[in-house]
Amino acid sequence: MSNSYLDSIETELQHRLSYRYIWYRKQNDLWDGYSNFIYTTITWKDLIPKISEAVSRHTLNKKEFFYYAINRWYNYWSALAIELIFSDLDGVIPATNKKDNVVDFSLFGETFDHKTSIFPKGFKNTLEYAQQYPKELIQWLYEHQSQQQRKHLENRMFIVVYASHGYHWKLKAQISWLKEIISTYVTTFDDSKLYRLQLQPYKITKAGLIWAIQ
């Protein structure tokens, strides 16, 4: 994948940063359907009129749907960029089925879905505690994951972003910086970096944890 494409995504994501990160409602299938244009809309200038059109067509609250759509757009394109970063590295094989909800790529023979998560307030512990007991954080992330389409208990590669200023979500837009961190993890990878969890009967789930801290 060319660096120029990743640079384009990073540039577009910057437009989101001047707005608050707020959800006025829980993510749901109905509003997901209204905002599914986010998957085919890479630029901010094309996104805004599509949001306005959906508000008019479905008689939606303008402010609530605006934030709903830009949040989904931001998270999707950041996640796609990270998936592309992984897929371009030696030892990583992208999934052939792009609609597979539990496999994004294989990393040295192990299949993973990847998930970029902000450091969760609900974890009720400090960053230092989480770094000392990472398996506890991973367990929490599985137990409190979104209830939408990508919910599962299979292997996952977590990228956890943490910013000292508290706006953890903004780090999802720093694609070039994340690329360096992910590349270092993959090039120095060995199986001992994975955590084993008993999340379902008769099966061990493997999870990786990549810290992205500023």
Side-chain angles (χ1 to χ4, degrees), residues 129-180:
Y129 180 92
Q131 290 178 303
Q132 188 173 357
Y133 302 102
K135 193 171 180 179
E136 192 172 324
L137 174 62
I138 292 170
Q139 181 94 27
W140 189 97
L141 290 170
Y142 271 109
E143 290 175 354
H144 294 83
Q145 64 184 300
S146 167
Q147 301 302 300
Q148 301 306 309
Q149 296 176 17
R150 292 186 73 91
K151 178 183 179 181
H152 65 75
L153 299 175
E154 303 302 322
N155 294 351
R156 212 161 214 170
M157 184 64 65
F158 291 99
I159 299 98
V160 176
V161 294
Y162 181 96
S164 58
H165 52 55
Y167 296 103
H168 311 312
W169 65 273
K170 291 189 175 184
L171 298 184
K172 290 185 178 184
Q174 296 193 26
I175 303 303
S176 302
W177 174 70
L178 290 168
K179 182 179 180 180
E180 291 184 14

Side-chain angles (χ1 to χ4, degrees), residues 38-61:
I38 61 121
Y39 296 122
T40 55
T41 310
I42 187 172
T43 67
W44 182 262
K45 69 178 179 62
D46 290 332
L47 178 68
I48 301 308
K50 290 183 181 180
I51 293 174
S52 297
E53 182 183 348
V55 167
S56 298
R57 183 187 309 131
H58 303 292
T59 319
L60 305 173
N61 180 288

Side-chain angles (χ1 to χ4, degrees), residues 1 4 24 27 32 53 59 69 79 95 102 109 118 131 162 171 197:
M1 176 57 58
S4 61
Y24 285 95
Q27 203 169 336
D32 280 358
E53 182 183 348
T59 319
V102 299
I118 64 170
Q131 290 178 303
Y162 181 96
L171 298 184
L197 300 94

Side-chain angles (χ1 to χ4, degrees), residues 62-76:
K62 183 177 180 180
K63 186 176 183 179
E64 290 186 12
F65 187 72
F66 172 77
Y67 278 97
Y68 191 98
I70 67 171
N71 290 346
R72 289 194 71 213
W73 175 86
Y74 179 79
N75 290 333
Y76 170 74

Side-chain angles (χ1 to χ4, degrees), residues 123-134:
F123 184 57
K124 305 297 185 186
N125 283 294
T126 64
L127 172 66
E128 292 71 24
Y129 180 92
Q131 290 178 303
Q132 188 173 357
Y133 302 102

